[in-house]
Amino acid sequence: MRVLAIESSCDETGIAIYDSELGLLSHALYSQIEMHAIYGGVVPELASRDHIRKSIPLIKQVLAEANCTSDDLDGIAYTSGPGLAGALLVGACLARSLAWSWDIPALGIHHMEGHMLAPLLENPAPEFPFVALLVSGGHTQLVEVSGIGQYQLLGESIDDAAGEAFDKTAKMMDLPYPGGPHIARLGANGNPDRFVFPRPMTDRPGLDFSFSGLKTSARNTILKCQEDGGLSDQDKADIAFSFERAVVETLAIKCKRALLQTGHKRLVIAGGVSANKTLRKKLHELMDKVRGQVFYPRPEFCTDNGAMIAYAGCQRLLAGQKDGEEIIIHPRWPMDQLPAVENHKESNNG
Ligand code: KG4
Ligand code: ZN
């Protein structure tokens, strides 16, 4: 089965073609980051308009790169939620219209399921079951994954997502959007002994997260530096180091707990923050200690992309799932409402 995918949930237009026998054939991404950067965050209306401009040229490009035409496609997958309503509607309307005119099925895919299954595009791919840590700009969740569509939410953030905390802390230090990679880069030159930020909710049982208090600690430290003669580049680096370390250690403590609770030895990390090198290193150390393994996507598939939607869509279309004729999006969509896929066939990742 060969599937074309459209991802348009936020500020990136991602298009890809995945073949169940041959693996990923082509993928392309257009990031709107530069356009939104001057506003310090994503402007939903501008995001929708840009998806309209970019989707069809990118679809033509990936078809050409995969050396195929619409006649070779067996289905279309698109992100139908969660995300920005207008941006989701662009992808949904386009996918459904193309599917109708090409007479093939279309299926709406959950964006976070896409992220969570992205490591299955890699070699070696994790086998089920595993624990997944999903860390993006909108979500921080720990999920027990027994198979495709067999998801048990173990814990989640009760306020800001990890990526959101990175972005907001970066903004307070006048760093560009999205702030995660900038904090990571600056923190590399930070003094590890100058500031200590809290590891929220690690002193009590449970697998939920909270990052807003950590963000407030960072804000108070920034204000103090400003009062003491201005926020210098070294201040920023020192704050970035301690902030990143606090987030990473908090995530690692909860991952360890989730692995103990479920008895699993495989950990998957996915979503934009899973590109963070300090987090990857920390989780490798953790999994070495418990003789387990950690899996994550290549950096370009940590952040939003079409390949993850093509992969998830292909598995579900293969199982015979498809949408009806109404165009439906889910700006909010709990992942445990997704139908299970029985007898998932291992994919070919080359
Ligand atoms: O998954 P994603 O591309 O979009 C959402 O679905 O939200 O995640 C974007 C988030 C942003 O908050 C960004 O700052 C964060 O991922 N991010 C990082 C890194 N790269 C991206 N955070 C920390 N370190 C990074 N290297
Ligand atoms: Zn995402």
Side-chain angles (χ1 to χ4, degrees):
M1 170 171 282
R2 194 168 286 191
V3 174
L4 170 76
I6 303 173
E7 152 65 38
S8 68
S9 63
C10 190
D11 57 350
E12 259 128 10
T13 314
I15 310 287
I17 298 176
Y18 182 84
D19 183 295
S20 55
E21 301 303 318
L22 303 172
L24 188 64
L25 298 185
S26 59
H27 62 99
L29 187 85
Y30 178 79
S31 172
Q32 307 175 351
I33 281 175
E34 249 176 64
M35 179 181 75
H36 298 292
I38 47 170
Y39 304 98
V42 178
V43 183
E45 176 64 23
L46 296 183
S48 312
R49 292 185 207 171
D50 221 42
H51 287 305
I52 291 174
R53 274 194 288 270
K54 292 298 179 325
S55 299
I56 292 179
L58 285 183
I59 290 172
K60 284 186 173 167
Q61 183 185 324
V62 295
L63 280 169
E65 283 170 11
N67 206 13
C68 67
T69 69
S70 56
D71 292 343
D72 303 309
L73 299 174
D74 304 298
I76 303 190
Y78 61 95
T79 305
S80 55
L84 302 172
L88 291 168
L89 274 172
V90 174
C93 291
L94 181 56
R96 296 298 312 285
S97 308
L98 289 175
W100 187 60
S101 64
W102 293 341
D103 198 22
I104 53 177
L107 182 66
I109 294 297
H110 193 292
H111 180 79
M112 296 312 294
E113 175 177 72
H115 275 304
M116 196 164 72
L117 300 181
L120 278 85
L121 284 162
E122 306 300 345
N123 202 351
E127 282 171 31
F128 299 111
F130 53 76
V131 167
L133 172 70
L134 302 179
V135 269
S136 70
H139 292 79
T140 301
Q141 295 182 325
L142 273 164
V143 185
E144 182 177 19
V145 182
S146 311
I148 295 183
Q150 297 171 46
Y151 309 137
Q152 176 85 42
L153 183 66
L154 301 170
E156 64 185 333
S157 177
I158 57 169
D159 42 54
D160 291 352
E164 193 179 356
F166 268 104
D167 296 341
K168 288 179 175 170
T169 302
K171 197 172 178 180
M172 291 187 260
M173 296 197 285
D174 291 327
L175 300 175
Y177 175 85
H182 295 281
I183 295 220
R185 190 176 39 79
L186 269 184
N189 302 319
N191 172 358
D193 302 318
R194 185 158 166 219
F195 301 116
V196 179
F197 294 131
R199 275 76 174 133
M201 293 181 72
T202 53
D203 56 353
R204 64 188 97 160
L207 294 170
D208 284 339
F209 303 89
S210 163
F211 290 107
S212 82
L214 176 55
K215 193 185 61 192
T216 306
S217 294
R219 176 185 289 120
N220 292 341
T221 307
I222 292 166
L223 290 175
K224 178 91 180 46
C225 290
Q226 280 164 346
E227 282 163 15
D228 292 349
L231 189 68
S232 68
D233 286 348
Q234 191 58 51
D235 293 337
K236 288 185 187 179
D238 297 346
I239 292 167
F241 177 93
S242 296
F243 178 83
E244 183 186 50
R245 187 159 72 176
V247 174
V248 164
E249 284 184 6
T250 303
L251 294 173
I253 289 168
K254 297 287 166 126
C255 283
K256 188 174 172 190
R257 262 185 216 174
L259 292 163
L260 278 175
Q261 184 177 313
T262 57
H264 298 317
K265 293 274 188 192
R266 283 182 289 268
L267 176 68
V268 156
I269 51 169
V273 182
S274 69
N276 186 282
K277 290 199 182 114
T278 311
L279 177 65
R280 290 177 172 205
K281 186 164 173 275
K282 181 87 193 168
L283 294 179
H284 270 294
E285 286 164 10
L286 168 69
M287 296 316 284
D288 284 350
K289 268 190 211 145
V290 300
R291 291 169 193 266
Q293 277 175 289
V294 59
F295 299 85
Y296 39 75
R298 69 196 84 168
E300 64 183 320
F301 294 164
C302 288
T303 44
D304 292 349
N305 65 87
M308 65 185 196
I309 302 302
Y311 179 80
C314 186
Q315 308 314 315
R316 289 188 171 279
L317 286 158
L318 271 174
Q321 297 177 13
K322 62 176 180 173
D323 288 345
E325 303 208 324
E326 250 178 299
I327 296 177
I328 298 174
I329 53 150
H330 311 271
R332 289 174 184 276
W333 194 7
M335 208 160 51
D336 50 16
Q337 287 179 0
L338 299 177
V341 171
E342 307 297 339
N343 304 324
H344 165 246
K345 180 179 154 292
E346 288 308 320
S347 53
N348 182 350
N349 299 334

